[in-house]
């Protein structure tokens, strides 16, 4: 007969992921974010201006709309800047750790043996800044996906190769 045990784990003895030094996105990624936010705000501003010009009853309400638009734009930049500063990732020997979020902070830790697929994406503007987005997929579907943006392309390629090597070794051992 097999002896069954179910001992309590001392939580203070577990390794603390919070102590891990995280790699921040490259500073050029903030420039890329500013460009994307600016394009969005220009399109939104044109739409708002068109609505105000087509509305004959606008009167002085357009001043209120412009003020609201400017407040929204400043708020958007502040939130995205805070988001940029709170992001970080680490490739450790047994897992990949990714942290993001301003209002609700999310820390995702994916064990390397759970990774099924790794992709490296470069958008048009990202290519100009020599940045990439590393996407890591697991069996968990959307909840098991990590998308790490703002990595210098050479570093992203190195990380991808390291993870793919782990996948190859893992599949050979199975």
């Amino acid at each position: 007969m097999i002896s069954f045990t179910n001992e309590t784990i001392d939580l203070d003895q577990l390794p603390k992921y919070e102590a891990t030094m995280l790699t921040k996105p490259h500073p050029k990624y903030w420039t890329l974010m500013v460009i994307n936010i600016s394009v969005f705000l220009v399109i939104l501003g044109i739409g708002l201006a068109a609505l105000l010009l087509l509305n004959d009853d606008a009167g002085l309400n357009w001043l209120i709309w412009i003020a609201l638009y400017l407040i929204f734009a400043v708020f958007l930049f502040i939130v995205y800047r805070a988001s940029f500063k709170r992001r970080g990732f680490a490739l450790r020997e047994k897992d990949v750790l990714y942290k993001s979020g301003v209002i609700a902070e999310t820390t995702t830790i994916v064990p390397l043996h759970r990774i099924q697929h790794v992709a490296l994406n470069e958008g048009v503007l990202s290519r100009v800044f020599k940045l990439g987005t590393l996407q890591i997929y697991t069996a968990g579907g959307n909840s098991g996906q990590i998308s790490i943006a703002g990595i210098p392309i050479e570093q992203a390629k190195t990380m991808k190769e390291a993870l793919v090597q782990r996948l190859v070794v893992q599949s050979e051992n199975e």
Side-chain angles (χ1 to χ4, degrees):
M1 179 176 233
I2 298 175
S3 175
F4 175 77
T5 63
N6 193 9
E7 298 294 324
T8 303
I9 296 173
D10 183 6
L11 297 178
D12 293 330
Q13 298 300 317
L14 292 174
K16 305 290 184 222
Y17 73 86
E18 296 92 347
T20 303
M21 286 295 297
L22 299 177
T23 302
K24 299 291 184 185
H26 194 277
K28 289 181 184 177
Y29 186 59
W30 171 244
T31 306
L32 186 63
M33 290 174 76
V34 168
I35 291 169
N36 287 332
I37 295 167
S38 298
V39 167
F40 169 75
L41 288 173
V42 165
I43 292 170
L44 182 66
I46 290 170
L48 182 60
L51 282 174
L52 290 174
L53 289 174
L54 293 175
N55 186 358
D56 293 334
D57 299 332
L60 289 177
N61 286 338
W62 62 273
L63 287 174
I64 294 170
W65 283 107
I66 291 173
L68 288 174
Y69 173 80
L70 292 175
I71 290 168
F72 175 72
V74 169
F75 175 75
L76 203 59
F77 277 103
I78 290 170
V79 168
Y80 270 88
R81 183 63 183 177
S83 167
F84 173 77
K85 288 185 169 213
R86 302 283 305 239
R87 294 178 188 200
F89 66 93
L91 177 59
R92 306 189 300 180
E93 46 177 91
K94 296 189 186 330
D95 57 29
V96 177
L97 188 144
Y98 180 65
K99 183 175 142 184
S100 65
V102 176
I103 297 169
E105 184 178 283
T106 302
T107 302
T108 305
I109 302 172
V110 175
L112 294 181
H113 70 276
R114 301 285 298 160
I115 296 173
Q116 290 189 333
H117 177 68
V118 182
L120 177 58
N121 296 326
E122 293 178 74
V124 174
L125 283 176
S126 295
R127 204 171 300 134
V128 170
F129 289 100
K130 295 183 170 102
L131 299 174
T133 299
L134 190 66
Q135 292 190 307
I136 301 169
Y137 300 91
T138 66
N142 286 342
S143 64
Q145 178 180 337
I146 298 178
S147 184
I148 307 172
I151 306 173
I153 196 64
E154 292 305 317
Q155 182 182 8
K157 287 177 180 177
T158 302
M159 287 177 64
K160 180 184 177 200
E161 280 304 311
L163 292 171
V164 168
Q165 294 269 336
R166 289 288 291 204
L167 291 174
V168 170
V169 169
Q170 179 181 319
S171 67
E172 290 174 354
N173 291 337
E174 290 177 352

